Amino acid sequence: MTAELISSPSSTRRARWSGRASQHRRRQVGADAASEAQVEALWSSLVEVLRAMDDPSCAVLCTATGTPVAAYGLPKPEVPRVSRAAGTAFATHSRHDAGPSAEVETVELTTGRAHTVIASVPGAGADHLLAVTAEGVSPPLLEAWTRRAAEDLGEALSGPVGD
């Protein structure tokens, strides 16, 4: 059994309905998929750099409220705890106002040889944080690299401009 197309009642008065709303939604879904692929590619690039380090390192991408999105270098049971701790540390030590920000803000923490940079990921929608911890790395270098990664992730999470 096949279904017939149902024509719009107004089709007799004006040009055929082209389904513009559906086309718009398809563009949005396509943009979301492209954005997700871009985030995955950026995350893979970040993980490759961390894997190349001789000393231990880890990274977490999470929401500002501490919900994990992606993690590297941590035991799976530790990811939610570390994500919440990153959110708490950022909220406690930053000058970050409530709501999404257009610029990256960082918080730096050092314990022994381990240096952690927590960066806000700017963009539309939910606020995200990128926390990177590494040992034996120059703190200014880790801060600059994490800041740049957060900027790139923010662009990817924001999706294409103009939609």
Side-chain angles (χ1 to χ4, degrees), residues 16 33 52-53 69 98 126:
R16 199 177 120 206
M53 293 182 176
V69 175

Side-chain angles (χ1 to χ4, degrees), residues 29-154:
V29 170
D32 289 347
S35 181
E36 186 175 317
Q38 190 176 8
V39 169
E40 287 178 15
L42 289 167
W43 182 257
S44 294
S45 174
L46 184 143
V47 167
E48 282 181 39
V49 172
L50 294 176
R51 278 189 183 134
M53 293 182 176
D54 293 331
D55 291 317
S57 61
C58 63
V60 174
L61 176 63
C62 60
T63 64
T65 58
T67 303
V69 175
Y72 165 77
L74 293 167
K76 198 170 188 171
E78 290 294 308
V79 173
R81 183 190 64 75
V82 171
S83 295
R84 285 189 304 274
T88 300
F90 188 80
T92 302
H93 297 289
S94 74
R95 297 174 309 278
H96 187 70
D97 296 329
S101 174
E103 295 189 21
V104 174
E105 183 178 346
T106 61
V107 169
E108 299 177 50
L109 308 167
T110 301
T111 305
R113 291 187 60 227
H115 189 70
T116 299
V117 177
I118 306 169
S120 62
V121 177
D127 255 350
H128 287 80
L129 299 174
L130 174 62
V132 179
T133 300
E135 289 184 17
V137 176
S138 160
L141 177 63
L142 185 62
E143 193 277 338
W145 182 71
T146 304
R147 177 182 293 276
R148 182 64 205 176
E151 289 170 352
D152 292 345
L153 285 166

